[in-house]
Amino acid sequence: ARKAGLVFSAREVFQHRTPEALAAVATSATGTATEDPKAGLGAVAETPIVGWLRELGGPVEGFNQAMLVQTPADASYERLADAVQRVLDHHDVLRSRLVRGEGVWNLDVAEAGSVRAADVLRRAEGGVADEARAAQARLAPESGAMVQAVWFEDEQRLLLMAHHLVVDGVSWRVLLPDLAQAYEGVE
């Protein structure tokens, strides 16, 4: 629907369960309100996952989810870096850092451009398992290192690793298509 320029809410999907009914309530994407670019910046109150990790009481630095995805046959490091940068700039939470307070933790989200793709994307020098362990070791939520990416150029695959503070199973369904669109130059 988004690609076709149509807008409707998740609530409307559940209220109007057929394509015909959704078509009747959908609006055109032109003229829709846009969010203030600074709306997602700054302190974020403790989310359920942040609270759950705090309550675990142990180290949380390497707690992550990862995806290994196929890249286009003509992929280049520069084009991948550009796509990763677009995703980092678009998804505010990927630029957050963990702030541990007394009895409560939160996230602090930095502005677009503060996390550079050049700092999170690397070319693989070893096998997937070794590169995954190294990427996990580079995750540092208190320093704002929430994302790591490793490109296996010979295999045309990209390992994406994100701290669980900023990604879950549902998030991948948004991030991966956004990365593919960013790679193709579609915003």
Side-chain angles (χ1 to χ4, degrees):
R2 180 173 40 161
K3 285 181 183 178
L6 299 175
V7 177
F8 47 83
S9 70
R11 176 176 293 210
E12 289 170 326
V13 170
F14 290 103
Q15 289 174 336
H16 310 280
R17 297 176 183 254
T18 66
E20 182 181 18
L22 274 173
V25 298
T27 59
S28 173
T30 59
T32 58
T34 58
E35 184 179 52
D36 178 349
K38 296 190 183 245
L41 304 182
V44 176
E46 187 174 270
T47 64
I49 187 65
V50 173
W52 182 74
L53 286 174
R54 177 183 48 77
E55 290 172 6
L56 284 178
V60 300
E61 287 70 23
F63 193 52
N64 72 83
Q65 289 193 353
M67 297 291 277
L68 187 62
V69 298
Q70 193 72 40
T71 60
D74 64 346
S76 69
Y77 178 87
E78 293 74 21
R79 196 162 171 193
L80 284 173
D82 181 56
V84 169
Q85 188 66 57
R86 288 178 188 213
V87 170
L88 290 168
D89 289 346
H90 180 70
H91 292 283
D92 300 331
V93 73
L94 299 179
R95 302 185 311 273
S96 63
R97 68 179 181 85
L98 176 63
V99 179
R100 297 182 198 221
E102 194 63 38
V104 67
W105 294 0
N106 66 0
L107 298 175
D108 186 49
V109 179
E111 62 189 38
S114 62
V115 176
R116 297 175 340 122
D119 296 332
V120 303
L121 176 63
R122 290 175 168 50
R123 283 188 161 100
E125 296 178 4
V128 173
D130 290 337
E131 292 290 348
R133 279 190 292 277
Q136 182 182 27
R138 290 189 299 272
L139 293 175
E142 289 181 90
S143 300
M146 296 288 198
V147 176
Q148 291 293 302
V150 182
W151 185 39
F152 296 85
E153 186 172 3
D154 293 342
E155 302 168 30
Q156 293 300 310
R157 296 192 297 171
L158 182 67
L159 172 67
L160 297 166
M161 183 174 290
H163 198 282
H164 198 20
L165 289 166
V166 300
V167 74
D168 61 17
V170 175
S171 306
W172 291 112
R173 288 186 242 157
V174 174
L175 292 173
L176 294 177
D178 282 0
L179 180 62
Q181 285 184 340
Y183 184 83
E184 293 302 323
V186 177
E187 293 189 13

